[in-house]
Structure formats: C-alpha cells, structure tokens
Amino acid sequence: MSTKDFIEKDYYKVLGVPKDATEAEIKKAYRKLARENHPDANKGNARAEERFKEISEANDVLGDPKKRKEYDEARTLFGNGGFRPGPAGGGGSFNFDLGDLFGGGGGGPQGGAGGFGGGLGDVFGGLFNRGGTGTAGSRVQPRRGQDIESEVTLSFTEAINGATVPLRMSSQAPCKACSGTGDKNGTPRVCPTCVGTGQVSRGGGGGFSLTDPCVDCKGRGLIAQDPCDVCKGSGRAKSSRTMQVRIPAGVSDGQRIRLRGKGTPGERGGPAGDLYVVVHVDAHPVFGRRGDNLTVTVPVTFSEAALGGEVKVPTLGGPPVTLKLPESTPNGRTMRARGKGAVRQDGTRGDLLVTVEVVVPKDVTGKARDALEAYRDATAGEDPRAELFQAAKGA
Ligand SMILES: [Zn+2]
Ligand SMILES: [Zn+2]
C-alpha cells in the first residue's frame, strides 16, 4: 500500500463510516460488510469478490489506530487534489512512502520503486523549505542544487601554475540509519502544527503574510515518533566527500573562484549548484606577486651596478634568465624579464619584475681593500651629499 493509495482511496467511504467514526463503529461496519460480501456467500460473484477485497483493505488501515492516523495525515497533506501522483505508484511498503510519491510523480530521475532511499531528504529539504511557496499541494519542480563554499590553501607555485587539489567537503545529507526520516522505524508522523508544510504563516502588515519555518518540526514537516538514535530525530547527518578540484592557473591570495556545477547535485533533474572556493596562497621565500607579474629582488655588487654587467636571475619553475645591467644602475631599479610572470587567463604570462639591491661586502681585505682605497682616493673630489645640503637650505 503506497501513499498513492492513501490519496486515491477513501476507506471511510468504502466502509460507509464517517471520518470521526470510533473504533467500535469501524469494526461493526467492517463485520457487516465482510459478511455480506464474503466469497463463501457469493460464489462466482466477481463484483462481491472485488468489494470484499476493498473492504478488507480499508479495514486493514482504519482498523489499526496507528495506520489510521497515518492515513488521515497523508490525506490531510495530499488529499486535497492539488497533487496528482503519477502512474509509478506500485508496491511500496506500507510506510509513509513519500519517496514513491514524489519520485514517481513524473517518471523523473528519482522515479520508480518506492522506499525511502534518499527520497525523504530531498522532499523535505526541497519541497517544504522552498521560500514561502512550499504548500503541501504544490507541484514538484526540478530544483537546482545548493551552492557550496569552501576554501583551499595553495603553495605559491600551485597558484601560479594551477593545480588539482583534493577538497574535502562536508554537507548535510539524509541520515543513513533512518533514511532521513528522523524516526527509528522510518515512520515519522506529519507535524500537526504546520500540517507537514514545514512552514507557518503569520500575518504581516498590508495584507501580506510571512512564513516562518515551523518551530515544532524545525521546518521538516515531520516529527519522529521514536527518534532515531543516530541523528537524534533530525533526519540529517553530516556527510563528507572528497572531490578533486581543478584550480585554474594564476589565482591570487584571497580570490574567490567559482566552479560551475560542482556544488550540491540538483534534485529531480535540476542542475547542480556551484562550488565557490576561496583560495589562500602561501608566501614564497623568494618571489612575490603583483597582479600578473612576479617580483624578485636580486643582490648585485657595487661594481656590477656601477660598471654594468650580466646578472643571472632565478625564475619560478624555469631556468634562470640573464639580465643585462646597464652602466650606473642605481640601487633599487626595477627591470623587466618579459613573459616570466604569472599565467594570465588567456594563457599568456605576465613579467618578472627584477629589483636590484646593491650589497655592501661584509669584510673587505687584501687586493679588494687596496682597490677600494684607491677608488676612494680617486673620487675624493665627489660629494654625494652636496645636493642634499643645497636642497635642505631652500624652501
Ligand atoms: Zn511543523
Ligand atoms: Zn537518523
């Protein structure tokens, strides 16, 4: 017996009793009808046989207080004609077979065999929690999966070149132990406060009404009769999966990148959500980053700066480049090694900005000392501070 049966069959009518009939009244009506239509008393009467089956089925449900309650609740929820279950229906279990009901509705991707497997999580995560419109009778639409936000830390080089990194993501999934019902036996009851919608409306100003998540069922529409030990009745469990994510080349620290379709899978044929990854990039001991360009500071000697020369400069992940230092290169000058920077979106590369830093030798001895003393004597007439003092006087 599936929920479809619950909606389509009026067992009260079959037994000819009112909806508020007592247990005794139901029992009495059933006995009378069963006697009248019993196959033994109606040999060869196909109609009576069919009727007898109907009566027994109705009694199976209405004669059992627990099943009757579920039947009543299912009919309150779905029985007002707004929702037409599809043809899939079929031999689900007696349990409140929502997976069957919704999945089978349009022969959709989750259609077919009933049972709870994953169905309920979808239903109550989706149908009833949709902003404001999730009335019990609404048609089930494909639903886009949720966007997920995550973060990842890359080495400096990985950020420049792009990298495929494992990303561990945790999300809320239906509890496996109770198939997302929150109930130990998989038979939750419909929340009486919100009648299964998961939302309650409150009046707002100007004829608007606002909806809030139902407090009693925490927006799920269901209440566990016997709460599941694993999820404490919430029906939700943390699930984590590890996914290989391709981070494109050229990302920088703090950047938020969007990976289309890598978020939560869609429901009922809807597209997947997106995954947003905030990238953290570790510093590099040598190279820095300025947009598409890399930066590096290169020590040069005084004589290299003064006389000019060729200076080898390391690059990130490639062979060194040789820079021609012109004569009289001032300390702190920045030169450009084209195409040795970070990868741009279009695949080209930025430049490597090389800043020279004149270093003073730690100790000067021997021939070097003699040469420096000779240099000092030769340049004794130069005063590097003359301009400074001049400028200090003025203005
Ligand atoms: Zn509720
Ligand atoms: Zn559970």
Side-chain angles (χ1 to χ4, degrees):
M1 209 164 302
S2 69
T3 313
K4 181 169 170 276
D5 289 335
F6 275 15
I7 294 162
E8 294 192 334
K9 295 183 181 173
D10 189 341
Y11 295 137
Y12 290 101
K13 209 168 162 188
V14 170
L15 294 184
V17 293
K19 294 229 171 356
D20 56 358
T22 63
E23 276 186 63
E25 284 170 330
I26 288 168
K27 195 179 262 181
K28 199 176 151 201
Y30 165 67
R31 282 196 179 147
K32 179 171 173 284
L33 289 169
R35 223 179 301 127
E36 286 170 6
N37 295 281
H38 201 277
D40 290 351
N42 297 275
K43 286 251 178 334
N45 184 342
R47 216 173 144 256
E49 195 184 322
E50 191 54 45
R51 182 96 176 96
F52 183 75
K53 271 189 203 157
E54 258 177 32
I55 294 159
S56 307
E57 194 185 316
N59 183 60
D60 277 346
V61 175
L62 299 187
D64 178 333
K66 196 178 160 203
K67 287 184 191 174
R68 183 183 175 186
K69 198 165 146 208
E70 289 187 47
Y71 172 67
D72 287 343
E73 284 165 346
R75 284 181 69 80
T76 310
L77 242 185
F78 306 113
N80 48 16
F83 187 89
R84 301 306 312 155
S93 61
F94 177 83
N95 289 347
F96 202 69
D97 204 351
L98 283 171
D100 175 40
L101 175 64
F102 289 104
Q110 315 216 4
F116 270 120
L120 266 183
D122 290 347
V123 170
F124 294 102
L127 180 65
F128 293 141
N129 286 341
R130 245 179 350 204
T133 58
T135 59
S138 64
R139 189 162 279 278
V140 178
Q141 303 275 353
R143 185 165 175 268
R144 184 178 174 276
Q146 278 183 321
D147 293 339
I148 302 178
E149 180 120 8
S150 186
E151 49 188 357
V152 69
T153 300
L154 299 181
S155 75
F156 190 88
T157 309
E158 284 174 329
I160 298 294
N161 297 327
T164 300
V165 292
L167 205 57
R168 194 174 161 81
M169 280 174 305
S170 59
S171 57
Q172 292 287 310
C175 168
K176 280 203 177 77
C178 63
S179 303
T181 63
D183 189 278
K184 209 179 262 176
N185 307 308
T187 54
R189 63 192 176 91
V190 172
C191 171
T193 310
C194 61
V195 213
T197 62
Q199 294 176 338
V200 287
S201 17
R202 58 183 161 97
F208 289 98
S209 84
L210 303 165
T211 55
D212 289 326
C214 174
V215 176
D216 291 342
C217 62
K218 298 187 178 63
R220 298 179 63 240
L222 292 179
I223 291 180
Q225 311 200 65
D226 194 0
C228 165
D229 293 329
V230 179
C231 64
K232 308 279 178 272
S234 73
R236 300 252 126 194
K238 257 224 160 91
S239 86
S240 62
R241 58 188 168 132
T242 300
M243 191 162 110
Q244 297 296 321
V245 171
R246 179 71 198 165
I247 306 290
V251 291
S252 49
D253 189 42
Q255 198 175 328
R256 189 166 176 263
I257 59 171
R258 175 189 184 188
L259 298 160
R260 240 175 236 277
K262 297 287 188 184
T264 307
E267 288 160 19
R268 295 175 291 274
D274 297 332
L275 168 64
Y276 289 91
V277 183
V278 176
V279 181
H280 303 287
V281 181
D282 285 339
H284 192 279
V286 167
F287 297 98
R289 181 90 180 266
R290 205 179 298 157
D292 300 331
N293 298 327
L294 294 180
T295 60
V296 66
T297 297
V298 176
V300 296
T301 62
F302 174 77
S303 46
E304 280 174 329
L307 303 175
E310 292 194 336
V311 177
K312 265 194 177 172
V313 177
T315 64
L316 187 72
V321 288
T322 302
L323 271 193
K324 267 209 164 72
L325 223 54
E327 261 183 53
S328 304
T329 297
N331 182 40
R333 160 150 309 171
T334 297
M335 287 172 301
R336 194 177 283 267
R338 295 210 179 271
K340 302 296 179 188
V343 181
R344 294 196 187 97
Q345 294 234 320
D346 62 4
T348 62
R349 278 176 172 268
D351 304 330
L352 177 61
L353 304 178
V354 184
T355 302
V356 298
E357 183 182 56
V358 177
V359 291
V360 177
K362 278 202 182 75
D363 53 329
V364 188
T365 51
K367 271 173 80 181
R369 187 168 192 96
D370 296 342
L372 266 183
E373 284 172 355
Y375 174 78
R376 181 192 58 197
D377 299 343
T379 57
E382 287 174 20
D383 182 2
R385 289 170 291 280
E387 249 176 62
L388 176 74
F389 279 91
Q390 196 62 39
K393 265 189 243 166

